[in-house]
Amino acid sequence: MEMQTVYSVLTVSANEKFNISLRALLNESKFSPVKTVSSVSSARRELLSRSYDLIMINSPLPDGNGIDLAVDICSQSSSGVMMFIKNERFDDVSGVLTEYGVLTVPVPTSVSIINQSLRLLCSTRERMKKVEQKTAKLEEKMEEIRIVNRAKWALIDRYQMNEATAQRFIEKTAMDECITKRAVAERIISTVR
């Protein structure tokens, strides 16, 4: 049996009726924890203390329309952002926010549209997680290359090896000792100093 992904959710809404309706749609087995704040400023404070997979903003809010908040979140994190916008402002706001990756939903709306939008937002979040994992692997690989290069130059400098010989020494040592090239390189750097 495949384990179901659980998404953390931050809801930013000052409308209690909306909050109750939305919370009823967020099944605890799939969405947990679910935190609700009622203003842009409280959302910003909350996001400083922890990150959330999904952020849902119900505009307007007591201290702004939430547009800048949505843009900032999308620019600074990989959280999925959904913004509920009054129907009369939907076309103008949606055009701006789509450019930043914010999913926009006009209100009033139906439960089926919200559920469909939630599935789309979860799907987008999963894609972002995969991109984050690939990026982390690439950064790790680049860091390993930098460390191995530093070790090669330490061997070249200290033992007058050429670059190919230094590279082969690191690779052979790693194979012989069943450790990574990075571990060998780190050891070389710490002992050659």
Side-chain angles (χ1 to χ4, degrees), residues 32-155:
S32 181
V34 177
K35 169 101 183 196
T36 302
V37 296
S38 60
S39 66
V40 170
S41 57
S42 57
R44 290 188 188 281
R45 280 192 303 277
E46 180 64 24
L47 290 169
L48 287 174
S49 66
R50 71 160 290 175
S51 62
Y52 288 86
D53 296 312
L54 311 177
I55 300 167
M56 291 182 253
I57 304 168
N58 183 27
S59 181
L61 294 155
D63 56 350
N65 58 23
I67 293 171
D68 289 340
L69 174 64
V71 169
D72 289 347
I73 293 167
C74 286
S75 300
Q76 299 168 9
S77 75
S78 60
S79 298
V81 179
M82 183 186 316
M83 187 157 185
F84 296 89
I85 304 158
K86 291 198 183 292
N87 218 356
E88 58 269 13
R89 297 197 60 222
F90 181 76
D91 289 334
D92 295 332
V93 175
S94 179
V96 171
L97 291 179
T98 300
E99 184 178 317
Y100 293 95
V102 177
L103 179 62
T104 53
V105 178
V107 287
T109 191
S110 67
V111 169
S112 64
I113 294 291
I114 294 173
N115 280 328
Q116 183 180 24
S117 298
L118 273 169
R119 283 192 297 277
L120 181 60
L121 196 60
C122 291
S123 173
T124 302
R125 179 65 183 126
E126 288 306 309
R127 290 188 74 200
M128 289 300 293
K129 283 181 185 176
K130 286 180 175 60
V131 169
E132 287 174 330
Q133 290 168 350
K134 285 181 183 177
T135 301
K137 284 180 185 175
L138 283 173
E139 288 172 356
E140 189 177 308
K141 186 67 176 166
M142 287 172 56
E143 180 63 16
E144 178 182 308
I145 290 168
R146 281 192 283 275
I147 291 169
V148 168
N149 282 338
R150 278 182 50 209
K152 281 194 304 190
W153 287 109
L155 291 172

